[in-house]
Amino acid sequence: MLIKEGDSVVVVAGNDRSDEVRSVVQVDRAKGKVLVEGVNLVWKHVRRSQKYPQGGRLSKEMPVDISNLKYYCTSCSSGVRLGVRYLDDGSKERYCKKCGSSAGKIAPAKAAYANK
Ligand SMILES: [Zn+2]
């Protein structure tokens, strides 16, 4: 599961499928679900309470399955698959499998993986 909070993604399947680039709000690794801004909106009916004196309907996102998403690569300007590779110094990074550009480091340098 290579998608992280703050990533740009494209929704490629499901009811909210579109070409728009959206950002990831939250990732639930155990369930394989991702909360994406403006995707899978539902109306929550809320009772009158201290917090909502009027009550009413609130629009909010619900998590979608990670398989509905693709990482958005800025240099390909499309949804792509991510891979993981080790760099010469032994650190780990995500990369775009299409163009090979880096999508940021995910682990610090480790001597055991370094390329001597
Ligand atoms: Zn790319």
Side-chain angles (χ1 to χ4, degrees):
M1 198 153 158
L2 291 168
I3 285 171
K4 297 197 297 182
E5 254 167 62
D7 278 350
S8 297
V9 292
V10 184
V11 181
V12 294
N15 292 336
D16 287 311
R17 172 177 58 197
S18 77
D19 295 330
E20 279 170 64
V21 180
R22 301 181 182 275
S23 67
V24 172
V25 182
Q26 205 176 47
V27 177
D28 186 337
R29 280 170 198 287
K31 289 185 183 150
K33 297 274 184 178
V34 181
L35 201 65
V36 185
E37 217 171 69
V39 172
N40 201 11
L41 288 171
V42 294
W43 287 109
K44 277 278 178 198
H45 299 263
V46 283
R47 285 183 83 97
R48 262 174 256 241
S49 65
Q50 294 279 343
K51 202 176 165 195
Y52 302 104
Q54 286 299 309
R57 298 162 78 211
L58 284 181
S59 179
K60 64 174 276 189
E61 293 109 354
M62 292 300 275
V64 293
D65 199 86
I66 190 153
S67 63
N68 292 354
L69 307 174
K70 262 187 161 180
Y71 181 84
Y72 180 79
C73 173
T74 41
S75 45
C76 301
S77 38
S78 70
V80 296
R81 291 186 174 192
L82 288 176
V84 172
R85 65 186 171 197
Y86 290 101
L87 302 179
D88 286 346
D89 66 351
S91 60
K92 216 170 167 186
E93 75 167 7
R94 302 185 299 168
Y95 70 99
C96 167
K97 283 198 165 178
K98 208 166 175 181
C99 67
S101 69
S102 170
K105 287 189 181 178
I106 53 174
K110 215 175 188 181
Y113 299 117
N115 206 356
K116 281 142 223 160

